[in-house]
Amino acid sequence: MNGDQLMDETQKREPLDVVVIGAGFAGLYMLHKLRALGMKAVVLEAAENVGGTWYWNRYPGARCDVESLEYSYSFDDALQQEWHWSERYATQPELLRYINHVADRFDLRRDIRFNTRVASAARDEQNNLWTLSSEGGETFTARYCISAVGCLSLPSLPAFKGRDSFAGRLYHTGLWPREGVDFTGLRVGVIGTGSSGVQVIPHIAQQAKHLHVFQRTPHYSVPAKNRPLDPGETARYKARYPEHREAARQSAIGIAGFPVPTQSALEVSAEERTEAYGMGWERGSTGYTRIYTDILKNEVANATASDFVKMRIQQVVRDPAVATRLTPRYMIGTKRLCLDTQYFETYNRENVVLVDVSEAPIDQITEHGIRTTAREYELDAIVMATGFDAITGALKGIDIRGSGGQSLAQKWEAGPRAYLGLMTSGFPNLFLITGPGSPSVLSNVVTSIEQHVEWIADCLAHLRQHGIARMDADLAAEDRWVQTVNEAANATLLPKGNSWYLGANVEGKPRVFMPYAGGVGNYRVVCDQVVIDGYRGFLLS
Ligand SMILES: Cc1cc2nc3c(=O)[nH]c(=O)nc-3n(C[C@H](O)[C@H](O)[C@H](O)COP(=O)(O)OP(=O)(O)OC[C@H]3O[C@@H](n4cnc5c(N)ncnc54)[C@H](O)[C@@H]3O)c2cc1C
């Protein structure tokens, strides 16, 4: 009998304590914590290996945009001391090696079922259990279900007319082939210029015979200034790792390395501002929008930061008409700020053409390429850098039924509702890691994942200790939290961007600002206080 069969046999006899869905950063750490509690847990993962985001997004140029020394687990000091990051912003292969190292180091694989995509999760109220079914027909029963499905794990593939008729090769950056792709000598079209597009475009441009970039929205991007990490610098940083990590936990976005702004952009002279933005540009980090206190709060302040980047684009891109088309028209930071390496410079290459599809939209994909309302472009390969059905997509993709058979997708039809982003009322004993209404994608996501995993683990220990079998979010508390999330967003300019934070990139998705914009540190205080108050806002029975 092999391990899988043994697990199936065991399942028939007694339910598991916990089923976790997803084996990315979140699912792996959750499993580690559950083991430490002595709980019987299994992780179900659609992919054939660990890594989540870093398993799927293998496109050339893929790398993190939070510095590697910060974009990593902090829960084990030996782990953070022994792992060596080679670059300031690690590439996807290095990040995947790291996650595999973690899985091996903590012997996690033996409780992960790979190639197992969860299709449904149903609540059995009578027996206080969750039953999960995979697409392959296996079932798993557990007292608790924990979603670690990720905020950016369901690729968004716009339903262009004729998509299946294309005779060439079609890729999505979030579903990149394991064996890689050779674009040498090919005519390539990239659709989309968000974070993934900005990373992949310079790489494809170097290989392809000809590259057409189909841009609907020009985005802000600042140079990453990526570089190899100097061993001395790393050693100095690691010597103070606990302090850096603590600072990250208390910070606004889960990153210790950004100086906390103290001044308004409007209380300094234009010269001083230009100097500060210039330094921010040279520093190479998404902290650019945090140079002053009000860049994300005040439209006039925002314009000063936006104008500096616009000016840089005009300086870098040689053809003024192309530069104008690459110049963003929204307020900086209201969509995710990109970090790049030679992105705008790529448009100075002879073999790269920018196609502005806001002027002439894509009409359809044809057998030979892409047809806009203006003309047809003949292509050998098309790369969709069209992002994800963010935050709710992967969860709504599972047929989740709570108490009384209520469907989660239906409950969230007009937008997601969750108390602290951790639980959603009517779905007892279902926990969400980085769920909607938590800082998630507005932060260093690993910092936010660790906070949620630790909160959930402490909560499960509490329930066990006090003989509590069932936990649900109180609907009134959930409503109040949704209002708090809205107020936090409305205190910033963030809802004014037509962004994926709002679901604007997916046709038909409700426009609701999904993450909590009140800051990682503040959010942690709220979550901790809820526990001190006896799990205020939760129904325990
Ligand atoms: C290209 C890219 C770059 C990024 N860079 C950064 C960065 O620099 N900094 C940052 O903070 N964040 C970044 N992110 C966000 C990133 O998603 C998180 O940092 C982090 O990796 C999320 O980990 P996770 O475990 O929550 O989810 P994921 O890594 O997405 O893992 C979720 C897992 O769940 C599995 N899954 C989903 N649905 C099911 C199902 N129904 N059944 C079974 N398995 C399922 C998926 O296969 C996946 O393996 C980036 C995202 C992308 C796409």
Side-chain angles (χ1 to χ4, degrees), residues 22 24-26 45-46 52-53 56 59 64-66 71 116 118 148-150 445:
F25 270 109
E45 168 55 59
T53 291
W56 295 106
Y59 60 85
C64 54
D65 57 17
V66 171
Y71 185 70
T116 306
V118 176
V149 296
V445 181

Side-chain angles (χ1 to χ4, degrees), residues 21-28 44-47 49-57 59 62-67 71 89 95 99 116-119 148-153 174 195-196 199 336 388 394-395 397-398 433-434 440-441 443-447 449:
I21 315 173
F25 270 109
L28 293 184
L44 306 179
E45 168 55 59
N49 211 333
V50 298
T53 291
W54 305 105
Y55 172 90
W56 295 106
N57 290 265
Y59 60 85
R63 60 174 78 239
C64 54
D65 57 17
V66 171
E67 296 190 38
Y71 185 70
Y89 296 107
L95 284 156
I99 298 178
T116 306
R117 182 174 289 282
V118 176
V149 296
C151 290
L152 300 172
S153 59
S195 295
S196 300
Q199 288 187 335
R336 192 178 167 93
F388 300 88
L395 263 175
I398 303 172
I433 303 176
T434 62
S440 66
V441 290
S443 68
N444 172 356
V445 181
V446 183
T447 309
I449 284 172

Side-chain angles (χ1 to χ4, degrees), residues 514-535:
M514 295 179 281
Y516 174 64
V520 165
N522 296 338
Y523 172 78
R524 176 182 292 268
V525 169
V526 174
C527 291
D528 290 350
Q529 192 58 47
V530 159
V531 175
I532 292 166
D533 298 345
Y535 287 93

